[in-house]
Amino acid sequence: MKSFPIKTLLFPALALLASIAAPARADILYATTYGTDMIDKFTSGGVTSVFYSRTRTSYPQGLAFDSAGILYEANSVNIAVESFNPSGVRSVFAFGGLDQPTGLAFDSAGNLYVTNQGSGTIAKFTPGGVGSVFASTGLTNPTGLAFDSAGNLYVGDVSNAGVSTISKFTPGGVGSVFASTGVDYPCELAFDRGGNLYVANRGNSTIEKFTASGIGSVFATTGLNGPVGLAFDSAGNLYAASQVIGTIEKFTPGGVGSVFASGLNFPQYLAFTDDAGVPLPLANGYPTPEPASAALLGLGALLLAGRRRQPALKR
């Protein structure tokens, strides 16, 4: 049997698959609105709809998607973490071990981390909902959470004396202070693809940017008034929810801002999926690669396996 070079088989196949791959998906933004007790949904063009609405006060805050496209929400009045399927059907994911839950973040194994402002702790829940205390030392009023690519967890915190910090916890729960300057009542945190950490400073209405080594600089001030939520879209634009003036601002990677949405009632935390309900990849590598990328990798592996099964040419 004649053997062909692997590139003869692989490259045309990859090119063909790329040519028939699904078109690029549009980003969909979700936001909790403290004043209306709703979760709002926005198309990439800023068209607003209600994803979930309540009939009683709940004060929804943190949002995070798991790899299956299930949306999780920290509910500070019900003292629970609730989940929503893509159709908006609600269920309670966790109830015990919470005290004024605020920020949410998933690690690469699918465990959910929750900041408890009431008790000054971070709770950890397995995918099955089993809870434990991940961290309690050095925290007073923890707010937003974000993981870096190495699995370290970063959290914004404000002491009772009004001192604001960003703490860093190893996967084993060992904590240290990552930043104490350039931080003023930090709320949500977000990493870009370059490993830089962005912090919404509600106290001085700025967004601070920190390098991986902790060097800080002001990324944005325009259009911000009491920013809380942060999230990146698939193009690397940063979205920030300004609760005081009821807007969501959009910032290019270079820091140029514009109004994405307005007329909101105390917008809080933000999270993105695409229009197929697939969560956007985060800086920590979670969720998993998009289906088109996985298909390309799978095809490559299949062709390589086929190449290895071919008998060697007789000399």
Side-chain angles (χ1 to χ4, degrees):
M1 181 182 293
K2 187 177 181 180
S3 177
F4 296 94
I6 187 61
K7 64 180 181 181
T8 303
L9 295 170
L10 181 57
F11 293 166
L14 291 178
L16 175 62
L17 183 59
S19 68
I20 63 175
R25 311 299 315 196
D27 296 338
I28 303 295
L29 177 65
Y30 293 76
T32 49
T33 48
Y34 202 81
T36 58
D37 300 307
M38 295 190 302
I39 301 175
D40 287 326
K41 179 178 177 180
F42 303 86
T43 68
S44 57
V47 178
T48 311
S49 61
V50 175
F51 175 70
Y52 189 81
S53 179
R54 292 177 172 83
T55 58
R56 60 190 180 89
T57 301
S58 64
Y59 297 149
Q61 301 219 36
L63 291 176
F65 280 97
D66 69 11
S67 61
I70 303 299
L71 180 61
Y72 292 74
E73 175 207 82
N75 196 298
S76 57
V77 167
N78 293 340
I79 314 178
V81 174
E82 299 176 335
S83 64
F84 302 85
N85 72 13
S87 299
V89 177
R90 180 184 69 89
S91 60
V92 176
F93 172 73
F95 189 77
L98 299 171
D99 189 348
Q100 197 179 338
T102 304
L104 302 178
F106 280 97
D107 68 12
S108 59
N111 300 299
L112 179 62
Y113 294 71
V114 185
T115 52
N116 285 318
Q117 278 197 291
S119 61
T121 63
I122 300 173
K124 175 183 176 180
F125 293 91
T126 67
V130 177
S132 60
V133 176
F134 173 74
S136 59
T137 304
L139 298 172
T140 305
N141 296 291
T143 52
L145 295 170
F147 279 96
D148 68 12
S149 59
N152 299 301
L153 180 61
Y154 294 71
V155 55
D157 188 41
V158 183
S159 73
N160 290 332
V163 177
S164 298
T165 58
I166 304 296
S167 293
K168 174 182 176 180
F169 291 89
T170 67
V174 178
S176 61
V177 175
F178 174 74
S180 58
T181 59
V183 187
D184 190 345
Y185 207 107
C187 289
E188 193 158 28
L189 314 179
F191 277 96
D192 67 13
R193 301 298 171 81
N196 300 297
L197 177 65
Y198 294 72
V199 180
N201 282 323
R202 195 172 78 178
N204 62 9
S205 295
T206 64
I207 297 173
E208 189 80 3
K209 175 182 176 181
F210 292 94
T211 66
S213 60
I215 299 173
S217 60
V218 176
F219 174 74
T221 59
T222 305
L224 299 172
N225 193 335
V228 176
L230 294 179
F232 280 97
D233 68 12
S234 59
N237 300 300
L238 180 63
Y239 293 69
S242 288
Q243 67 169 10
V244 175
I245 55 177
T247 65
I248 297 176
E249 300 290 320
K250 176 181 177 180
F251 295 93
T252 67
V256 178
S258 60
V259 177
F260 174 74
S262 61
L264 307 176
N265 195 336
F266 279 83
Q268 296 289 296
Y269 288 77
L270 307 174
F272 267 108
T273 61
D274 67 18
D275 57 5
V278 178
L280 301 189
L282 303 178
N284 61 358
Y286 184 77
T288 51
E290 295 183 21
S293 301
L296 287 170
L297 293 173
L299 179 60
L302 179 62
L303 290 174
L304 284 171
R307 173 67 177 85
R308 294 190 184 102
R309 285 195 297 268
Q310 293 180 14
L313 287 175
K314 293 183 179 179
R315 295 187 182 276

